[in-house]
Amino acid sequence: MLPILSLIVLIPILFSAVTFLTKTKEQARISALVGTLITLVLTLYMYFSFDSTTAAMQFEEMANWIPSLGISYHLGVDGVSMPLILLNAIVIPLLIVYTWDDVRSAPNRFYGLILAMQGAVIGVFVSLDFFIFYIFWELTLVPLFFMVNIWGGSNKKHAAIKFFIYTHVASLVMLLGIFGLYFNAWSLTGSPNMGIDHLITQFQFFESGILRDAIFLALLFGFIVKLPVVPFHSWLPDAYSEAPTAGSVLFILLKIGGYGLFRVMLPMLPFTATPSLMITIMGALGAVSILYGAFLALAQKDLKRMIAYSSISHMGYVTLGCAGLVSLSVSGAMFQQFSHGLIMSILFMSCGVIQTSTGTRIINELGGLAQKMPKLTVIMVLGFMASLGLPGLTGFIAEFLVLTFSFINVPIYVIIALLAIVITAAYHLWALQRAMFGTFNEKLGEIVDISSYQTLSMGIIALLVLYFGLNPSPVLDMMITNSEKIVSLMAVMGV
């Protein structure tokens, strides 16, 4: 059988190395596009061969690597990881098309880092051994750091270092949690094993309740900083707004924090000493992130920072849906990750076009852009409507599932989150009205609409937002199958 999971990880990494060695912009972008298109074809083959009716791992690859330490080369994909792999495989080649006409220094390094990022992120999604999982987890830091540090805005060095310190410290705390799982399971079974499923299974047999809670919280901290949630969010606005447009989109596709909640945290939750406390922590963090992120977005004058803060608010739905512990609330949280990746890609691409064309991102300095940029306006309006949760678009599906079904178990936190709906609509419509409609600001000079390459890439993503908003089943069905498995374990344990 074709080792398809190894291929979708290795091909971007190999093409990244090839792209670094190219001499011209044309060679770099063609190499990058070919690498991502091969990855997309393999991912689509895997998607159409995927069985959505089972929660079992599919396309598994297994080989002993370091037997003395219990480390294996173990890859697999299920309904939790398949939609996120699909998201990356679709958006990244479109991102390369979007940047086709960009003029920038060192294009070989720029496109090489995009490919390296794709390989590392997919590596996290397919790893079923904690050792490999952590290697890929850390590798995601490197391309993003250099993307911000080399091609970022005026405050790029501060933003890059802040991002690296925040997320690396969180990763080290998570590593302590992994070590806690690994060594305690080793002492219980008498043999080492770094398999994720094995360690989660052994977690319930640890005698000390305090130890179980400490391990759970260490892992949770690593994931929620990467997500991020309030109050561990302050790296995000700087990193997102200082990064070049391609870097901002790569940050959006970095769904490994939310993925860790589904893959690791929820299966461990019923075996903690105080599951009700852990649910309260997750629910409170989710609700506060939704509301506080919305207020922060409302206060912004910079369009890109507004979108960045709205991302914090939207990621709160992931944590809240996990705390809901109902199959459809967890599925809604999973779908929010997929939906958010599509919607925010449109918004950051739109913001990049506006900044390039007008030289500013300050909302009050814009105005009437719809008269000069009608194609951008259509796509951007669809993105904004999806982001505020308009029915018929992907944002509505995710938020409806999370809010409706989380209310069963955590009604107080859902009520808090509901307060953000009006604020979310307010800052989206306010920004859209000020920036795109009204009287055109003549001080902006001559402005041209988006190029054919940008229209193609942004238009395809916009159509996907509409398609999955009207017909979420192609990805939602596999999410529901896996969320039912996770939630059934909670019911057995009485959580």
Side-chain angles (χ1 to χ4, degrees):
M1 184 179 173
L2 188 71
I4 193 164
L5 297 182
S6 294
L7 288 174
I8 62 171
V9 174
L10 291 175
I11 285 172
I13 293 173
L14 290 174
F15 271 87
S16 171
V18 171
T19 305
F20 273 115
L21 297 174
T22 56
K23 301 296 184 184
T24 66
K25 175 186 174 182
E26 287 70 23
Q27 291 174 350
R29 66 189 184 185
I30 290 171
S31 171
L33 186 60
V34 170
T36 56
L37 287 176
I38 294 172
T39 304
L40 175 59
V41 170
L42 290 171
T43 302
L44 289 175
Y45 166 77
M46 188 168 68
Y47 171 75
F48 288 115
S49 305
F50 190 86
D51 183 1
S52 297
T53 62
T54 176
M57 285 293 167
Q58 301 176 48
F59 304 99
E60 274 193 272
E61 299 171 28
M62 177 78 171
N64 286 330
W65 186 10
I66 311 174
S68 60
L69 296 176
I71 297 171
S72 301
Y73 180 76
H74 189 190
L75 308 180
V77 66
D78 63 3
V80 178
S81 48
M82 184 70 245
L84 297 176
I85 296 170
L86 183 67
L87 173 69
N88 273 268
I90 291 172
V91 173
I92 289 188
L94 294 174
L95 177 62
I96 289 168
V97 172
Y98 171 88
T99 62
W100 202 256
D101 288 332
D102 283 8
V103 177
R104 68 177 75 251
S105 61
N108 59 330
R109 285 184 286 169
F110 178 79
Y111 288 112
L113 288 172
I114 292 176
L115 285 162
M117 180 66 187
Q118 183 180 32
V121 170
I122 294 176
V124 173
F125 294 147
V126 300
S127 298
L128 298 179
D129 183 280
F130 258 127
F131 183 78
I132 302 173
F133 176 89
Y134 192 78
I135 287 175
F136 283 122
W137 179 279
E138 287 292 84
L139 281 176
T140 61
L141 289 176
V142 180
L144 290 172
F145 173 81
F146 286 111
M147 187 68 73
V148 177
N149 198 47
I150 297 174
W151 296 281
S154 58
N155 202 25
K156 60 186 180 182
K157 295 194 181 300
H158 169 78
I161 292 170
K162 187 175 182 180
F163 157 71
F164 192 88
I165 291 173
Y166 255 81
T167 53
H168 188 56
V169 168
S171 298
L172 292 176
V173 174
M174 185 179 78
L175 183 61
L176 292 176
I178 294 172
F179 282 156
L181 276 174
Y182 174 64
F183 287 112
N184 281 280
W186 188 347
S187 67
L188 276 176
T189 62
S191 60
N193 191 327
M194 283 289 272
I196 292 176
D197 286 344
H198 171 79
L199 293 181
I200 291 173
T201 301
Q202 294 303 316
F203 176 70
Q204 61 186 299
F205 302 117
F206 297 175
E207 287 187 17
S208 170
I210 294 174
L211 175 66
R212 293 200 303 275
D213 282 358
I215 290 172
F216 183 89
L217 289 172
L219 291 167
L220 180 65
F221 180 73
F223 293 132
I224 63 175
V225 170
K226 189 76 84 172
L227 193 61
V229 300
V230 175
F232 311 111
H233 66 285
S234 64
W235 64 267
L236 183 146
D238 291 337
Y240 280 31
S241 58
E242 292 300 322
T245 301
S248 301
V249 174
L250 290 180
F251 273 115
I252 287 299
L253 298 177
L254 189 71
K255 299 300 181 190
I256 57 180
Y259 171 77
L261 296 181
F262 306 122
R263 174 68 67 223
V264 180
M265 303 318 303
L266 288 184
M268 288 175 62
L269 178 60
F271 305 118
T272 58
T274 54
S276 59
L277 174 62
M278 302 307 168
I279 293 167
T280 300
I281 290 172
M282 292 170 68
L285 288 174
V288 169
S289 295
I290 293 168
L291 186 59
Y292 187 63
F295 273 118
L296 289 173
L298 183 65
Q300 300 308 307
K301 298 178 181 178
D302 182 318
L303 183 62
K304 196 172 185 182
R305 286 187 76 85
M306 187 206 81
I307 296 169
Y309 278 112
S310 78
S311 182
I312 297 170
S313 180
H314 286 114
M315 283 293 94
Y317 285 98
V318 176
T319 318
L320 181 60
C322 289
L325 294 182
V326 177
S327 173
L328 287 173
S329 77
V330 175
S331 303
M334 293 178 184
F335 194 79
Q336 175 71 342
Q337 292 236 104
F338 182 81
S339 165
H340 182 263
L342 294 174
I343 295 168
M344 288 295 152
S345 294
I346 293 174
L347 298 189
F348 278 118
M349 286 178 176
S350 300
C351 193
V353 171
I354 289 172
Q355 184 176 11
T356 303
S357 300
T358 67
T360 184
R361 300 187 316 227
I362 305 304
I363 296 169
N364 288 338
E365 293 177 2
L366 302 170
L369 295 183
Q371 300 170 32
K372 306 288 185 179
M373 310 176 86
K375 290 187 289 185
L376 173 67
T377 303
V378 171
I379 296 172
M380 190 171 171
V381 166
L382 186 139
F384 268 64
M385 293 301 108
S387 185
L388 65 81
L390 187 73
L393 303 172
T394 55
F396 173 76
I397 303 288
E399 293 176 17
F400 175 80
L401 289 173
V402 170
L403 294 173
T404 303
F405 293 96
S406 296
F407 189 81
I408 296 170
N409 290 326
V410 285
I412 293 173
Y413 302 123
V414 170
I415 290 169
I416 294 171
L418 283 170
L419 299 174
I421 291 178
V422 176
I423 303 163
T424 301
Y427 68 72
H428 279 103
L429 296 175
W430 174 80
L432 202 59
Q433 172 63 30
R434 295 290 185 89
M436 306 307 293
F437 300 105
T439 306
F440 177 69
N441 184 357
E442 298 295 341
K443 294 179 181 178
L444 297 175
E446 276 299 313
I447 294 174
V448 294
D449 207 351
I450 49 178
S451 69
S452 54
Y453 291 119
Q454 292 167 336
T455 304
L456 175 66
S457 56
M458 295 171 70
I460 291 174
I461 299 173
L463 288 174
L464 289 173
V465 169
L466 182 60
Y467 172 73
F468 286 112
L470 295 172
N471 180 31
S473 293
V475 291
L476 187 59
D477 286 352
M478 61 181 73
M479 296 172 180
I480 292 173
T481 302
N482 277 83
S483 64
E484 286 174 349
K485 177 186 174 184
I486 294 169
V487 172
S488 65
L489 182 62
M490 308 280 182
V492 169
M493 297 303 297
V495 176

